């Protein structure tokens, strides 16, 4: 009888979750392309269906995916890219990424069409719970390794963690922490609108653990809009709690992250002048007491406070004073860890990856105006520089403004992968490909920051951006197709969307941070939620119309 009850409950649990969809999300969102491709094969074996339903009128899927694949073919013919065999490899790999996007959204659409909305909602909840568990497991591993309850303040191991602790909180996808941050920012909004308070707080906590300043700012902006225009009293209270969590994290857990965010924003508004910066540093340093002076001051204050105690209590403390650390001359001092010593500083040795970049810079000095400079000159973040490069490129090459420089030729994960440097996925060194337009622009920006000290290796200094990719490699035609047939595909339902509309706004901000279509992760999850929200609101509208 007990076996019968267990079997019944197990079947009941299974029936409440779309296990095919959950398996697909867990595998396809993984960072490894070697796992994404088998995930696509598995889901199509389980659910064999290739009726995509593209059309110019009431298209089942965003027509953007088909049209964006036509533009590179035009460029390939016009610029005769087919004459370079190495570029043909890049071209067809780029087409493969777009094909994977189509296959993924088709399976997501099938799940939405053929499964009850509540079952999909429970599946999404389970996904976020698993992701949170793995994220906390990542954090626990860091705590065990460092012995520090708060590794965000831990400066040992050459500051391996410290301000960069969040980089190691990768979650279920094992991708960059930015991917984990983006997914959880989406989760905060999704669960907030659906009034699942515990999951809102869970996603907010994981987001904070990733330490993503940009995603925190983007989420604050969206939450502020929801607070003003589309929220109940309970939701407003929860938004305030989320903001308090963010403030507490910035002030108490990771204050250096807060200072870094403020400095980055300040540099964008007012790029620092190198000469003024040197002068300011020199002036500031003259007012900083040495470590020995600091110890002396602490010791003097301590002894003075002891002397002011009544005579009896003073005598009771003499044995403790006797064992205090002393110098050779018998002077008492406070023995504290010297955070300015070598073990507490960022590692200065050049890594193997940096050696690859530096060797490449030495071999191409004449083509690299930024990275070939011997000294680093503080200025705008790399992402801003990248946008300026794109604008300047089209001023110098107006004939390419319509269809762009071509797939993999200027600004994309594919362009970085094809260098065979290994920082955007594996690629055969024998068949590597670097277009000169990419070399002298976005690759130069990347090399300028990422070949130098680790403090410059940040999201703001990478030229990655969906908007830059579309404009630079697909031209105005690509941006137009994206706006009308991708954003427009979802935005046309804006009047009825609930969590879908704020998620669409968030995605438009996230697009500034990486080449998300090529990442094949956040985009897929976003499309699942938007298609689900469209189905729910459409069904409600039809039921409401039918009742009338």
């Amino acid at each position: 009888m007990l076996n019968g009850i267990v079997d019944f409950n197990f079947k009941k649990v299974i029936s409440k979750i779309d296990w095919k969809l959950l398996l697909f999300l867990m595998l396809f969102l993984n960072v490894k392309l070697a796992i994404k491709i088998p995930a696509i094969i598995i889901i199509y074996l389980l659910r064999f269906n290739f009726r995509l339903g593209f059309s110019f009128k009431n298209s089942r899927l965003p027509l953007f995916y088909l049209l964006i694949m036509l533009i590179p073919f035009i460029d390939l013919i016009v610029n005769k890219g087919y004459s370079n065999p190495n570029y043909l490899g890049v071209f067809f790999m780029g087409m493969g990424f777009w094909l994977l996007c189509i296959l993924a959204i088709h399976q997501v659409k099938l799940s939405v069409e053929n499964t009850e909305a509540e079952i999909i909602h429970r599946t999404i909840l389970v996904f976020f719970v698993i992701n949170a568990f793995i994220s906390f497991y990542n954090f626990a591993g860091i705590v065990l390794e460092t012995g520090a309850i708060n590794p965000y303040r831990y400066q040992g191991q050459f500051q391996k963690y410290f301000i960069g602790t969040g980089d190691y909180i990768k979650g279920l996808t094992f991708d960059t922490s930015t991917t984990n941050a983006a997914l959880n920012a989406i989760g905060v909004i999704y669960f907030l609108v659906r009034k699942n308070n515990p999951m809102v707080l869970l996603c907010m906590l994981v987001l904070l653990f990733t330490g993503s300043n940009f995603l925190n700012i983007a989420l604050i902006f969206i939450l502020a809009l929801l607070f003003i225009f589309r929220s109940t009293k309970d939701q407003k209270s929860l938004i305030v709690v989320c903001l308090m969590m963010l403030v507490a994290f910035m002030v108490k857990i990771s204050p250096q992250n807060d200072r870094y965010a403020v400095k980055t924003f300040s540099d964008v508004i007012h790029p620092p002048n190198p000469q003024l910066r040197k002068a300011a540093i020199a002036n500031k340093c003259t007012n900083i007491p040495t470590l020995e002076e600091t110890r002396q001051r602490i010791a003097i204050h301590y002894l003075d406070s002891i002397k002011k105690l009544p005579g009896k209590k003073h005598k009771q403390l003499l044995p403790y004073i006797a064992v205090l650390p002393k110098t050779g001359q018998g002077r008492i001092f406070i023995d504290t860890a010297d955070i300015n010593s070598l073990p507490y500083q960022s590692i200065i040795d050049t890594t193997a990856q940096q050696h690859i970049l530096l060797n490449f810079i030495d071999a191409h000095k004449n083509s690299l105006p930024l990275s070939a400079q011997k000294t680093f000159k503080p200025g705008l973040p790399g992402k801003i520089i990248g946008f300026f490069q794109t604008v300047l490129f089209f001023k110098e090459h107006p004939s390419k403004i319509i269809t762009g420089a071509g797939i993999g030729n200027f600004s994309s994960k594919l362009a970085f992968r094809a260098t065979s440097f290994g920082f955007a996925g594996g690629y055969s060194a024998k068949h590597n490909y670097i277009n000169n337009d990419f070399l002298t622009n976005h690759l130069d920006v990347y090399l300028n920051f990422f070949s130098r000290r680790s403090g410059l290796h940040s999201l703001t200094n990478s030229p990655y951006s969906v908007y830059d990719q579309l404009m630079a490699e697909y031209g105005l035609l690509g941006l137009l197709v994206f706006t009308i047939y991708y954003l427009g595909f979802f935005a046309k339902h804006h009047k009825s969307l609930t969590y879908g509309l704020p998620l669409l706004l968030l995605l438009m901000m996230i697009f500034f941070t990486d080449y998300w279509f090529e990442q094949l992760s956040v985009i897929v999850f976003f499309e699942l939620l938007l298609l689900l929200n469209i189905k729910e609101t459409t069904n409600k509208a039809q039921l409401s119309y039918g009742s009338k």
Side-chain angles (χ1 to χ4, degrees), residues 384-400:
I384 305 297
I385 296 172
F387 276 111
F388 285 147
Q389 285 180 334
T390 303
V391 173
L392 185 60
F393 172 76
F394 285 117
K395 282 185 177 180
E396 295 174 352
H397 304 84
S399 62
K400 294 187 177 182

Side-chain angles (χ1 to χ4, degrees), residues 38-235:
I40 280 287
I41 295 172
I42 291 170
I43 195 67
Y44 273 89
L45 289 175
L46 293 174
R47 192 161 50 194
F48 192 82
N49 186 313
F50 287 94
R51 294 189 294 274
L52 303 177
F54 285 113
S55 67
F56 278 98
K57 186 177 181 181
N58 297 323
S59 184
R60 178 174 168 274
L61 302 176
L63 196 59
F64 159 76
Y65 284 120
L66 274 188
L67 297 177
I68 202 69
M69 293 176 71
L70 294 177
I71 298 173
F73 277 104
I74 298 172
D75 180 80
L76 185 73
I77 296 169
V78 172
N79 295 312
K80 299 181 180 179
Y82 51 80
S83 61
N84 186 333
N86 281 14
Y87 178 66
L88 283 178
V90 172
F91 178 85
F92 287 113
M93 178 173 277
M95 290 292 107
F97 277 119
W98 289 119
L99 182 59
L100 283 174
C101 287
I102 293 174
L103 294 175
I105 192 175
H106 174 52
Q107 282 296 331
V108 164
K109 180 70 171 178
L110 286 175
S111 292
V112 170
E113 289 173 338
N114 301 325
T115 310
E116 291 180 20
E118 281 307 312
I119 291 178
I120 297 180
H121 284 305
R122 282 192 288 268
T123 305
I124 292 168
L125 186 146
V126 170
F127 174 87
F128 274 109
V129 169
I130 295 173
N131 182 69
F133 177 81
I134 295 176
S135 297
F136 293 142
Y137 178 80
N138 295 152
F139 180 77
I142 297 171
V143 172
L144 288 174
E145 180 185 343
T146 61
I149 296 176
N150 180 10
Y152 295 89
R153 285 176 177 256
Y154 177 72
Q155 291 184 260
Q157 297 184 20
F158 298 100
Q159 295 185 4
K160 175 183 177 182
Y161 297 109
F162 192 46
I163 193 173
T165 300
D167 296 342
Y168 296 88
I169 312 299
K170 298 183 177 182
L172 179 59
T173 68
F174 301 98
D175 202 342
T176 63
S177 61
T178 305
T179 299
N180 197 10
L183 287 172
N184 281 280
I186 289 173
V188 169
I189 295 171
Y190 165 73
F191 288 115
L192 176 68
V193 176
R194 286 187 51 78
K195 301 178 181 179
N196 188 331
N197 297 354
M199 288 304 299
V200 172
L201 298 178
L202 182 65
C203 289
M204 187 68 195
L205 189 59
V206 176
L207 171 61
L208 293 176
F209 272 34
T210 64
S212 176
N213 292 316
F214 180 87
L215 267 299
N216 288 337
I217 294 170
L219 183 62
I220 289 173
F221 175 74
I222 301 299
L223 291 179
L225 292 178
L226 287 172
F227 186 93
I228 296 169
F229 300 109
R230 298 180 69 173
S231 57
T232 63
K233 286 185 179 181
D234 289 342
Q235 288 171 325

